[in-house]
Amino acid sequence: MIVGIDLGTTNSLIAYFADGEPKIIPNRLGKHLTPSVVSVDEEGNVYVGETARERMSLYPDSVAQTFKRSMGTEREYNLSGHKFKPEELSSMVLRSLKEDAEAFLGEEITEAVISVPAYFDDKRRKATKRAGELAGLKVERMISEPTAAAVAYGLYDRTKDTRFLVFDLGGGTFDVSVLELYHNILEVRAVAGDNYLGGEDFTAVMAKLFLQKSGLSLQSLSEKEQVRLYRQAEKAKCDINDTDKVTFGFLYKEETKEAEISAKEYEEACEELLMKIREPVKKSLADAGLKLSDIDEVLLIGGATRLSIVRDFLIRLFRKFPDTKLNPDETVALGAAVQAAMKERREEVKEVILTDVCSFTLGTEVVVEYEEGKFEDGRFCPIIERNTVIPASHTERLFTVRDNQDKVRVRVLQGESRFARNNLYLGELEIEVPKAPKGQESVDVTYTYDINSLLEVEVKVVSTGRSQKMIIKGQDNQMTDEEIQKRMEELAYLKIQPRDYEENRLVLLRAERMYEEALGESRKKLDHYITAFEAALKRGDHDEIMDARQDLNEVLEEEDK
């Protein structure tokens, strides 16, 4: 079976297709959402999800989150003396999801369709593929998040032609895609977005408001206090959806600081973020050659679209109510599962042709003549423009610029800048040409880009017919199959905590965190129930452990109100 995975910035999900529909697979705690958080202790034990998130309050140096924002970069995270790249941390989340799916379905999972933001460039997409491979998954196909959302909404089964805009505001990334459905073809017309904008930024605004009102500064807080601040800010951000104001409480150096924040104040403080949302919407429509009035439907996905200030802003912007019939947290995973069923050629799924677009322009570096006899090198020559429907193949003829030039080098670049140095380098090849006066010899450079983000580059010498090809599977630091296998073996010493221990460990971590945050009688009460639960764990009686855990959970819920 092939599963569908939404590898998110804040939360990740895994889904499968059965009984004619996609279904979310619950994790080991029985929940649909697995926080994209990883913690590693000094013994090399790995904690993923809620357990890792709870450890953040107690051991902030051992925890990493929002690492999806750094996918495809050389950034390293140091967790308890162990260093990891973003794709390695992502692989631990994927491995945890894979284990949960195998336990739930009772069979081995070896392949997955993984969703990626539409605005992820080649480097980030290939890092995502490597993360899947490090988790022991074959990843032959990735699907852009907006396309997955469109499939999940059932648009592939509609009879009416529809133009729609998918607005995807997740925890850490933001995508806008314009799609069109006609007959059985689902075509992406244009994409735009921001890989560094999401719900986490709206949480940061709430935290900043509290600091301003309480007279504190972020620099004055310890790491543990900063974690507690953002935890409370996240809660206040969600609570303000249903009320005109919230009271933000925060324990600072054994003293509870409180501040009242109104919905109006919060919306005004978020104005800059809302303006950043507007630009990709305008850009995607302009690239698609459409006006707002041409859009039949607006679909909301991503957990941050639950924020009332975001929804109100979108209603004003689009002058219509968006479609919110599906859970915005689960839509992408469900769509990825449908895509997985299509890949398996399941009879229950009506086959639909999915077309995507290049998120960024693909081209090469050239020398240009800006005045007669005056040349400037380092300029970018587009070959496949951004938002070109893929698969696509385009050819550009380039000429020699020096007398007796005997070689032509083609540097493969991705980006939108006029200058080659500002664009992403993907690879290069070189071919020999006959010596001749400048401008008399030429090469045809053909780029062919397919739906799986593989780019084939062919350079053909016009006068001799000699050609040379290369396939850009990745770019800087692309790992070979052997290197991936070696790194998997190196990571094998890291053991994800057993499923049976997860719930007990999570309850204890939550209790320890709340004990640190409590004072007076609340602290004494927590200590009593924590001690009773630890004693039951030592005795090892299953029924006694369940009773003590239930008692402790009830106290935690009561104290966390």
Side-chain angles (χ1 to χ4, degrees), residues 1 25 71 76 83 101 108 113 117 120 158 208-209 312 351 378 390 399 423 429 438 450 479 495 541:
M1 176 181 288
I25 298 173
M71 288 290 270
E76 284 191 327
K83 290 185 177 179
E108 186 181 6
V113 171
F120 256 25
R158 292 190 180 181
K208 187 177 178 181
L209 264 180
D312 290 345
E351 188 65 34
I390 57 176
F399 295 84
N423 294 321
L429 55 78
K438 66 180 181 181
D450 76 4
M479 298 171 76
K495 303 298 180 185
D541 183 275

mmCIF file of all heavy atoms in Angstrom, residues 1 25 71 76 83 101 108 113 117 120 158 208-209 312 351 378 390 399 423 429 438 450 479 495 541:
data_model
loop_
_atom_site.group_PDB
_atom_site.id
_atom_site.type_symbol
_atom_site.label_atom_id
_atom_site.label_comp_id
_atom_site.label_asym_id
_atom_site.label_seq_id
_atom_site.Cartn_x
_atom_site.Cartn_y
_atom_site.Cartn_z
ATOM 1 N N MET A 1 0.838 -1.202 0.000
ATOM 2 C CA MET A 1 0.000 0.000 0.000
ATOM 3 C C MET A 1 0.873 1.254 0.000
ATOM 4 O O MET A 1 1.883 1.317 0.693
ATOM 5 C CB MET A 1 -0.897 0.003 1.243
ATOM 6 C CG MET A 1 -1.734 1.275 1.389
ATOM 7 S SD MET A 1 -2.754 1.277 2.866
ATOM 8 C CE MET A 1 -3.994 0.057 2.399
ATOM 9 N N ILE A 25 -4.847 8.242 9.398
ATOM 10 C CA ILE A 25 -4.392 7.181 10.307
ATOM 11 C C ILE A 25 -4.035 7.811 11.658
ATOM 12 O O ILE A 25 -3.203 8.719 11.708
ATOM 13 C CB ILE A 25 -3.168 6.448 9.727
ATOM 14 C CG1 ILE A 25 -3.533 5.773 8.404
ATOM 15 C CG2 ILE A 25 -2.625 5.432 10.737
ATOM 16 C CD1 ILE A 25 -2.346 5.168 7.668
ATOM 17 N N MET A 71 14.460 23.399 5.323
ATOM 18 C CA MET A 71 14.704 22.282 4.402
ATOM 19 C C MET A 71 15.511 22.761 3.197
ATOM 20 O O MET A 71 15.254 23.835 2.644
ATOM 21 C CB MET A 71 13.381 21.688 3.924
ATOM 22 C CG MET A 71 12.654 20.890 4.984
ATOM 23 S SD MET A 71 13.460 19.335 5.397
ATOM 24 C CE MET A 71 12.673 18.239 4.224
ATOM 25 N N GLU A 76 22.337 23.235 10.716
ATOM 26 C CA GLU A 76 22.412 22.068 11.589
ATOM 27 C C GLU A 76 21.769 22.383 12.933
ATOM 28 O O GLU A 76 21.870 23.498 13.439
ATOM 29 C CB GLU A 76 23.860 21.628 11.804
ATOM 30 C CG GLU A 76 24.471 20.897 10.626
ATOM 31 C CD GLU A 76 25.801 20.249 10.972
ATOM 32 O OE1 GLU A 76 26.536 20.814 11.807
ATOM 33 O OE2 GLU A 76 26.096 19.194 10.404
ATOM 34 N N LYS A 83 24.216 16.238 16.123
ATOM 35 C CA LYS A 83 23.929 17.229 15.085
ATOM 36 C C LYS A 83 23.092 16.615 13.963
ATOM 37 O O LYS A 83 23.355 15.490 13.522
ATOM 38 C CB LYS A 83 25.238 17.786 14.506
ATOM 39 C CG LYS A 83 25.997 18.672 15.483
ATOM 40 C CD LYS A 83 27.212 19.289 14.833
ATOM 41 C CE LYS A 83 27.933 20.229 15.803
ATOM 42 N NZ LYS A 83 29.139 20.837 15.198
ATOM 43 N N ALA A 101 1.439 3.944 11.115
ATOM 44 C CA ALA A 101 0.623 3.391 10.031
ATOM 45 C C ALA A 101 0.749 1.869 9.971
ATOM 46 O O ALA A 101 -0.246 1.156 9.765
ATOM 47 C CB ALA A 101 1.041 4.012 8.698
ATOM 48 N N GLU A 108 3.470 -3.753 6.296
ATOM 49 C CA GLU A 108 4.639 -2.907 6.117
ATOM 50 C C GLU A 108 4.342 -1.798 5.102
ATOM 51 O O GLU A 108 3.708 -2.050 4.072
ATOM 52 C CB GLU A 108 5.831 -3.737 5.645
ATOM 53 C CG GLU A 108 7.128 -2.938 5.569
ATOM 54 C CD GLU A 108 8.304 -3.767 5.068
ATOM 55 O OE1 GLU A 108 8.082 -4.930 4.664
ATOM 56 O OE2 GLU A 108 9.430 -3.237 5.064
ATOM 57 N N VAL A 113 3.444 9.037 -1.007
ATOM 58 C CA VAL A 113 3.355 10.291 -1.743
ATOM 59 C C VAL A 113 3.408 11.388 -0.677
ATOM 60 O O VAL A 113 2.600 11.402 0.248
ATOM 61 C CB VAL A 113 2.039 10.394 -2.533
ATOM 62 C CG1 VAL A 113 1.873 11.797 -3.119
ATOM 63 C CG2 VAL A 113 1.992 9.354 -3.641
ATOM 64 N N PRO A 117 5.020 22.298 -0.157
ATOM 65 C CA PRO A 117 4.470 23.597 -0.554
ATOM 66 C C PRO A 117 4.710 23.855 -2.033
ATOM 67 O O PRO A 117 5.771 23.498 -2.566
ATOM 68 C CB PRO A 117 5.255 24.588 0.320
ATOM 69 C CG PRO A 117 5.656 23.790 1.525
ATOM 70 C CD PRO A 117 5.935 22.413 0.992
ATOM 71 N N PHE A 120 7.976 25.577 -2.859
ATOM 72 C CA PHE A 120 9.265 24.959 -2.563
ATOM 73 C C PHE A 120 10.080 24.894 -3.851
ATOM 74 O O PHE A 120 9.582 24.421 -4.881
ATOM 75 C CB PHE A 120 9.062 23.541 -2.024
ATOM 76 C CG PHE A 120 9.250 23.428 -0.531
ATOM 77 C CD1 PHE A 120 9.067 24.523 0.301
ATOM 78 C CD2 PHE A 120 9.591 22.215 0.049
ATOM 79 C CE1 PHE A 120 9.227 24.412 1.671
ATOM 80 C CE2 PHE A 120 9.764 22.089 1.408
ATOM 81 C CZ PHE A 120 9.579 23.190 2.231
ATOM 82 N N ARG A 158 -16.094 16.602 -10.056
ATOM 83 C CA ARG A 158 -17.139 17.531 -10.452
ATOM 84 C C ARG A 158 -17.343 17.499 -11.967
ATOM 85 O O ARG A 158 -16.438 17.177 -12.724
ATOM 86 C CB ARG A 158 -16.770 18.957 -10.027
ATOM 87 C CG ARG A 158 -16.774 19.139 -8.529
ATOM 88 C CD ARG A 158 -16.653 20.592 -8.181
ATOM 89 N NE ARG A 158 -16.665 20.777 -6.733
ATOM 90 C CZ ARG A 158 -16.599 21.962 -6.152
ATOM 91 N NH1 ARG A 158 -16.521 23.047 -6.863
ATOM 92 N NH2 ARG A 158 -16.621 22.055 -4.833
ATOM 93 N N LYS A 208 4.667 39.236 21.417
ATOM 94 C CA LYS A 208 5.239 40.589 21.427
ATOM 95 C C LYS A 208 4.291 41.586 22.083
ATOM 96 O O LYS A 208 4.723 42.463 22.858
ATOM 97 C CB LYS A 208 5.553 41.020 19.991
ATOM 98 C CG LYS A 208 6.295 42.342 19.885
ATOM 99 C CD LYS A 208 6.625 42.670 18.426
ATOM 100 C CE LYS A 208 7.335 44.015 18.316
ATOM 101 N NZ LYS A 208 7.637 44.358 16.903
ATOM 102 N N LEU A 209 2.991 41.459 21.803
ATOM 103 C CA LEU A 209 1.990 42.335 22.435
ATOM 104 C C LEU A 209 2.017 42.190 23.946
ATOM 105 O O LEU A 209 1.970 43.178 24.692
ATOM 106 C CB LEU A 209 0.597 41.982 21.912
ATOM 107 C CG LEU A 209 0.023 42.797 20.758
ATOM 108 C CD1 LEU A 209 -1.361 42.279 20.403
ATOM 109 C CD2 LEU A 209 -0.051 44.276 21.112
ATOM 110 N N ASP A 312 -11.637 36.921 8.231
ATOM 111 C CA ASP A 312 -12.298 38.207 7.977
ATOM 112 C C ASP A 312 -11.560 38.992 6.896
ATOM 113 O O ASP A 312 -12.180 39.624 6.033
ATOM 114 C CB ASP A 312 -12.358 39.036 9.268
ATOM 115 C CG ASP A 312 -13.328 38.444 10.287
ATOM 116 O OD1 ASP A 312 -14.143 37.588 9.900
ATOM 117 O OD2 ASP A 312 -13.245 38.828 11.470
ATOM 118 N N GLU A 351 -9.879 8.425 -12.493
ATOM 119 C CA GLU A 351 -8.592 8.963 -12.934
ATOM 120 C C GLU A 351 -8.750 10.414 -13.373
ATOM 121 O O GLU A 351 -9.660 10.767 -14.112
ATOM 122 C CB GLU A 351 -8.041 8.132 -14.107
ATOM 123 C CG GLU A 351 -6.623 8.509 -14.485
ATOM 124 C CD GLU A 351 -5.621 8.215 -13.384
ATOM 125 O OE1 GLU A 351 -5.803 7.228 -12.656
ATOM 126 O OE2 GLU A 351 -4.671 8.995 -13.247
ATOM 127 N N GLY A 378 27.452 37.076 -16.682
ATOM 128 C CA GLY A 378 26.722 36.873 -15.437
ATOM 129 C C GLY A 378 25.242 37.193 -15.504
ATOM 130 O O GLY A 378 24.585 37.357 -14.460
ATOM 131 N N ILE A 390 3.683 22.041 -16.532
ATOM 132 C CA ILE A 390 4.596 20.925 -16.757
ATOM 133 C C ILE A 390 3.806 19.626 -16.871
ATOM 134 O O ILE A 390 2.694 19.532 -16.346
ATOM 135 C CB ILE A 390 5.661 20.825 -15.632
ATOM 136 C CG1 ILE A 390 5.001 20.700 -14.257
ATOM 137 C CG2 ILE A 390 6.600 21.982 -15.689
ATOM 138 C CD1 ILE A 390 5.974 20.503 -13.119
ATOM 139 N N PHE A 399 24.858 31.551 -28.804
ATOM 140 C CA PHE A 399 25.980 31.691 -29.735
ATOM 141 C C PHE A 399 27.282 31.946 -28.980
ATOM 142 O O PHE A 399 27.283 32.466 -27.857
ATOM 143 C CB PHE A 399 25.708 32.842 -30.705
ATOM 144 C CG PHE A 399 24.542 32.605 -31.618
ATOM 145 C CD1 PHE A 399 23.248 32.884 -31.204
ATOM 146 C CD2 PHE A 399 24.739 32.072 -32.888
ATOM 147 C CE1 PHE A 399 22.167 32.651 -32.041
ATOM 148 C CE2 PHE A 399 23.656 31.841 -33.732
ATOM 149 C CZ PHE A 399 22.372 32.121 -33.302
ATOM 150 N N ASN A 423 20.530 33.621 -8.440
ATOM 151 C CA ASN A 423 19.637 32.485 -8.613
ATOM 152 C C ASN A 423 20.271 31.202 -8.095
ATOM 153 O O ASN A 423 21.479 31.141 -7.851
ATOM 154 C CB ASN A 423 19.247 32.348 -10.093
ATOM 155 C CG ASN A 423 18.403 33.518 -10.564
ATOM 156 O OD1 ASN A 423 17.541 34.004 -9.830
ATOM 157 N ND2 ASN A 423 18.649 33.989 -11.783
ATOM 158 N N LEU A 429 26.951 21.595 -17.347
ATOM 159 C CA LEU A 429 27.671 20.699 -18.260
ATOM 160 C C LEU A 429 28.411 21.539 -19.298
ATOM 161 O O LEU A 429 28.108 22.717 -19.508
ATOM 162 C CB LEU A 429 26.739 19.676 -18.915
ATOM 163 C CG LEU A 429 25.509 20.129 -19.692
ATOM 164 C CD1 LEU A 429 25.880 20.626 -21.062
ATOM 165 C CD2 LEU A 429 24.545 18.950 -19.828
ATOM 166 N N LYS A 438 33.605 34.638 -33.569
ATOM 167 C CA LYS A 438 32.509 34.723 -32.597
ATOM 168 C C LYS A 438 31.165 34.883 -33.308
ATOM 169 O O LYS A 438 31.054 35.548 -34.345
ATOM 170 C CB LYS A 438 32.737 35.888 -31.635
ATOM 171 C CG LYS A 438 32.672 37.268 -32.275
ATOM 172 C CD LYS A 438 32.912 38.339 -31.223
ATOM 173 C CE LYS A 438 32.833 39.741 -31.853
ATOM 174 N NZ LYS A 438 33.088 40.799 -30.871
ATOM 175 N N ASP A 450 9.711 17.568 -15.797
ATOM 176 C CA ASP A 450 8.543 16.691 -15.690
ATOM 177 C C ASP A 450 7.816 16.881 -14.362
ATOM 178 O O ASP A 450 8.206 17.666 -13.513
ATOM 179 C CB ASP A 450 8.936 15.226 -15.922
ATOM 180 C CG ASP A 450 9.653 14.592 -14.733
ATOM 181 O OD1 ASP A 450 9.788 15.241 -13.687
ATOM 182 O OD2 ASP A 450 10.058 13.421 -14.858
ATOM 183 N N MET A 479 22.619 13.451 -2.059
ATOM 184 C CA MET A 479 23.156 12.194 -1.565
ATOM 185 C C MET A 479 22.898 11.082 -2.578
ATOM 186 O O MET A 479 21.824 11.000 -3.163
ATOM 187 C CB MET A 479 22.511 11.832 -0.219
ATOM 188 C CG MET A 479 22.775 12.838 0.878
ATOM 189 S SD MET A 479 21.781 12.507 2.366
ATOM 190 C CE MET A 479 22.679 11.106 3.048
ATOM 191 N N LYS A 495 16.843 5.626 18.694
ATOM 192 C CA LYS A 495 15.649 4.799 18.805
ATOM 193 C C LYS A 495 14.447 5.646 19.198
ATOM 194 O O LYS A 495 14.453 6.300 20.243
ATOM 195 C CB LYS A 495 15.851 3.692 19.859
ATOM 196 C CG LYS A 495 17.061 2.787 19.575
ATOM 197 C CD LYS A 495 16.899 2.033 18.260
ATOM 198 C CE LYS A 495 18.107 1.128 17.995
ATOM 199 N NZ LYS A 495 18.032 0.471 16.685
ATOM 200 N N ASP A 541 2.030 -2.751 37.836
ATOM 201 C CA ASP A 541 0.699 -3.327 37.681
ATOM 202 C C ASP A 541 -0.095 -2.499 36.666
ATOM 203 O O ASP A 541 -0.316 -1.305 36.860
ATOM 204 C CB ASP A 541 -0.040 -3.351 39.024
ATOM 205 C CG ASP A 541 -1.411 -4.007 38.912
ATOM 206 O OD1 ASP A 541 -2.373 -3.308 38.544
ATOM 207 O OD2 ASP A 541 -1.506 -5.206 39.205
#
